[in-house]
């Protein structure tokens, strides 16, 4: 933990460099500090995983965008005008302050917008960032990654 899962409409692959976005989101997570200036998320535990949806239906399928005639045709697929959508869900363990949780969400939103705003200038794209913290019913970890970063 923390894990950031990015779900997005597959048509965004044509207009967004997803590997670069994943790296930027991970870097944004690693830069988050708490009120004492300590790194919030452990380097070895930070994960960003992105999954395109090859099949999707968003809103009215682009009809309102085409009717608006605003030039945002969304020609990212063979269906001109189809909308795009991206959902970022950060799941973190308990114990961080509300302010730290909001700081993490704001950092992810800023990072995603830095990558998406140019595409959003010409296409209709929805972006949602959600931070979830909850009681774990079961939480077990086994990793050879953490020792790389926990050297004293």
């Amino acid at each position: 933990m923390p894990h950031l899962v990015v779900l997005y409409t597959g048509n965004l692959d044509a207009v967004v460099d997803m590997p670069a976005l994943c790296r930027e989101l991970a870097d944004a997570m690693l830069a988050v500090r708490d009120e004492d200036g300590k790194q919030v998320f452990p380097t070895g535990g930070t994960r960003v995983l992105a999954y395109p949806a090859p099949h999707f239906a968003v809103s009215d399928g682009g009809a309102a965008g085409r009717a608006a005639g605003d030039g945002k045709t969304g020609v990212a697929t063979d269906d001109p005008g189809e909308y795009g959508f991206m959902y970022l869900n950060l799941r973190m363990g308990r114990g961080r302050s509300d302010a730290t949780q909001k700081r993490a969400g704001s950092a992810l939103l800023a990072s995603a917008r830095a990558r998406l705003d140019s595409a959003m200038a010409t296409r209709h794209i929805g972006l949602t960032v959600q931070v979830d913290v909850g009681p774990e019913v079961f939480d077990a970890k086994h990793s050879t990654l953490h020792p790389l970063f926990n050297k004293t």
Side-chain angles (χ1 to χ4, degrees):
M1 227 23 122
H3 302 156
L4 177 66
V5 176
V6 180
L7 303 174
Y8 65 95
T9 55
N11 60 343
L12 294 182
D13 276 326
V15 295
V16 178
D17 182 344
M18 290 298 174
L21 175 63
C22 288
R23 180 72 264 155
E24 291 159 3
L25 292 168
D27 291 343
M29 291 169 64
L30 293 172
V32 175
R33 299 292 184 260
D34 66 13
E35 291 82 356
D36 297 325
K38 294 180 185 171
Q39 183 175 335
V40 172
F41 303 121
T43 304
T46 298
R47 317 272 194 271
V48 177
L49 307 168
Y51 300 94
H55 311 286
F56 56 88
V58 178
S59 190
D60 66 359
R66 288 188 297 273
D70 59 7
K72 295 182 181 186
T73 58
V75 189
T77 67
D78 292 335
D79 181 13
E82 181 65 57
Y83 306 131
F85 179 73
M86 183 177 291
Y87 172 69
L88 283 68
N89 180 238
L90 174 62
R91 179 91 173 120
M92 68 172 78
R94 292 177 289 176
R96 294 171 180 97
S97 70
D98 288 346
T100 297
Q101 294 169 32
K102 289 177 184 173
R103 196 174 302 114
S106 293
L108 291 172
L109 178 61
S111 182
R113 287 205 51 198
R115 176 63 55 180
L116 288 172
D117 277 354
S118 62
M120 291 177 105
T122 59
R123 290 170 171 74
H124 294 286
I125 301 170
L127 171 63
T128 297
V129 177
Q130 183 175 355
V131 177
D132 289 331
V133 179
E136 295 81 15
V137 175
F138 179 80
D139 184 23
K141 295 172 180 64
H142 178 72
S143 174
T144 57
L145 290 172
H146 286 283
L148 291 171
F149 305 101
N150 292 337
K151 295 177 183 173
T152 55

